[in-house]
Amino acid sequence: MCKLTKTRLPLTLFGLAIFFASFLLTGCSARSDDAAPKAADTGPAQQNLSPDEKAAAIVQEMSDAEKVGQLVMIGIQGTELDADSRFMLTEYQIGGVILFDRNMKSPEQVRALNDALQKSASNAGLPLFIAIDEEGGAVARMKEAFPPPPAAEEIGRTGDPAEARRWAFQTAQGLKAMSFNLNFAPVADLGAANGRSYADDAPTVTAFVAAALEGHADAGLLACLKHFPGLGRGESDTHEDTVTVHADRTALEEGDLVPFRAMIAKRNAAKEKRGWFVMATHTMYPALDAEHPASLSPAILQKLLREELGYDGVIATDDLEMGAISRHYTFERAGVEAILAGADLILVCHDYAHETAVYNGILKAVRSGEIPEERLDASVKRIVKAKLEYLE
């Protein structure tokens, strides 16, 4: 997902830069007096409401600044909650954090960091999503102190989906012990490079992905299917620049989309929906949208994923700092385009200035009316509902 580590600014310079960026982009401080954090109401009146009704009631009481904070997941620098990371979480009321190797030394240290992050959360009394990319194989964190599961390809070669469930459960248990609540796995792509896919055929990937989701759910950890609508055919790296998949619609329907379609159908048919999200890739699919990468495409996120496939959960973007986005869009604009396309959770994983620009860009678009209140609230409700249902 995200691989670069940016240089950390000194606090004084960082604070000044953030203030002036906030002033220029929004015309006022991003944190106004009416945006003071409020605890989520869990009194008797709330207890008789459905999860949807509870989420709607909480969102109704939130300021626009609080709402925008829920949409953004950031990376931080360092191995402890310092002044800069605390500033980001409190000033912008950020709703989620993702950790990388730069943040992780030992399971004990990571748990202490995650607990400190959670205690610092100030957004309407809601917990943070605290996430990690722990796929296994080449994509795993803190490998020496937290041995990763095998690569998906290795697990797929066993021919036994129960192995995917076992490894997912074991990994999720270890992550929960470190106070993570969201893992950006499993990969639902067909034939992805570096051993990241269970197989290159749709039936096998579908069976193993279903088992991996069950393993995460058994352990009580949120999971995430990625990278919609399927990254396996990409021949280059979205970290660097634009990647285009030239397959026609039929090929995508008969291959890449099969695991996503199957998991969404299974989810919708279940009486109790188990917790997982979908992550959209930054790859271009001319057969689906000739103008926008998937993560910024209304045709792919809204029409295909929401309307045709019937997915009603949280849609996350891949990291907006990847070259496929950052070489072609400003950070102020990229977050706005993602929200307008139908995304809910916007990842900006490394640079505090970029994270601030994304936040302020979205807030400015909300206050100007470019992002309608109804559109904003739809995403915030999905996020709040997921936190109410799946986070302890």
Side-chain angles (χ1 to χ4, degrees):
M1 176 191 298
C2 319
K3 65 178 183 180
L4 302 176
T5 301
K6 303 293 185 181
T7 302
R8 180 172 175 261
L9 296 173
L11 176 60
T12 55
L13 293 177
F14 171 74
L16 288 171
I18 296 305
F19 174 81
F20 284 113
S22 181
F23 180 84
L24 290 172
L25 286 167
T26 66
C28 59
S29 173
R31 177 91 172 266
S32 58
D33 290 340
D34 65 351
K38 301 178 287 294
D41 184 3
T42 56
Q46 281 271 338
Q47 293 174 5
N48 295 324
L49 300 179
S50 69
D52 286 300
E53 291 169 334
K54 288 181 182 179
I58 291 171
V59 172
Q60 186 176 10
E61 296 300 316
M62 295 171 73
S63 69
D64 56 4
E66 287 177 316
K67 292 176 183 179
V68 173
Q70 285 295 314
L71 305 181
V72 182
M73 175 174 282
I74 67 169
I76 62 171
Q77 304 299 322
T79 56
E80 61 184 19
L81 179 66
D82 62 11
D84 288 355
S85 52
R86 188 186 299 275
F87 177 89
M88 290 298 299
L89 292 175
T90 57
E91 181 71 8
Y92 300 102
Q93 304 166 83
I94 295 298
V97 175
I98 181 169
L99 299 193
F100 295 88
D101 279 332
R102 65 176 182 261
N103 308 120
M104 305 174 70
K105 291 183 177 180
S106 71
E108 296 76 18
Q109 170 266 324
V110 172
R111 182 182 179 96
L113 171 59
N114 285 343
D115 289 347
L117 290 169
Q118 202 63 265
K119 289 178 183 177
S120 74
S122 65
N123 197 321
L126 293 164
L128 292 168
F129 290 133
I130 302 183
I132 189 171
D133 287 310
E134 194 68 20
E135 298 174 16
V139 182
R141 311 301 178 206
M142 200 174 63
K143 293 181 181 179
E144 293 184 2
F146 185 68
E153 183 179 30
E154 184 178 340
I155 295 173
R157 283 200 299 264
T158 68
D160 184 4
E163 285 295 291
R165 184 169 185 166
R166 180 174 71 85
W167 277 111
F169 178 74
Q170 179 176 312
T171 302
Q173 281 191 314
L175 295 177
K176 282 200 71 176
M178 291 187 283
S179 296
F180 289 102
N181 52 38
L182 170 60
N183 186 19
F184 285 116
V187 171
D189 304 328
L190 276 59
N194 300 315
R196 297 176 72 189
S197 292
Y198 290 108
D200 58 7
D201 66 282
T204 300
V205 170
T206 300
F208 278 79
V209 163
L213 289 178
E214 290 170 357
H216 280 86
D218 291 344
L221 192 77
L222 279 166
C224 183
L225 286 183
K226 62 186 190 185
H227 308 78
F228 187 83
L231 186 56
R233 298 176 191 266
E235 296 181 356
S236 53
D237 188 351
T238 52
H239 287 92
E240 306 301 328
D241 208 335
T242 300
V243 175
T244 301
V245 168
H246 293 287
D248 62 24
R249 178 66 183 256
T250 299
L252 293 172
E253 288 282 359
E254 294 179 353
D256 304 74
L257 285 170
V258 169
F260 294 99
R261 186 184 294 277
M263 293 305 97
I264 292 166
K266 183 176 181 180
R267 179 180 188 272
N268 290 345
K271 292 183 179 179
E272 180 182 351
K273 294 183 179 181
R274 309 189 89 174
W276 50 267
F277 300 163
V278 171
M279 175 180 283
T281 178
H282 299 319
T283 302
M284 298 282 295
Y285 300 82
L288 303 175
D289 185 335
E291 297 182 7
H292 307 94
S295 56
L296 310 186
S297 169
I300 293 174
L301 299 189
Q302 186 60 41
K303 184 177 179 181
L304 176 58
L305 182 53
R306 292 275 188 227
E307 297 174 14
E308 294 185 28
L309 272 63
Y311 177 67
D312 63 359
V314 172
I315 299 174
T317 70
D318 216 332
D319 180 17
L320 294 190
E321 289 180 294
M322 290 181 177
I325 299 298
S326 62
R327 288 177 179 268
H328 306 280
Y329 299 84
T330 66
F331 289 103
E332 292 85 353
R333 194 65 210 165
V336 174
E337 295 290 341
I339 296 298
L340 290 173
D344 305 306
L345 187 62
I346 311 302
L347 270 64
V348 203
C349 298
H350 300 289
D351 190 304
Y352 288 137
H354 297 162
E355 295 162 1
T356 305
V358 169
Y359 174 94
N360 279 322
I362 297 172
L363 184 60
K364 181 179 179 180
V366 167
R367 290 179 172 173
S368 72
E370 182 182 7
I371 296 177
E373 183 179 9
E374 182 180 2
R375 172 68 198 91
L376 173 67
D377 286 357
S379 282
V380 182
K381 286 175 187 175
R382 290 188 194 99
I383 289 168
V384 171
K385 182 183 176 184
K387 290 184 174 184
L388 293 174
E389 289 187 308
Y390 302 121
L391 303 192
E392 297 177 354

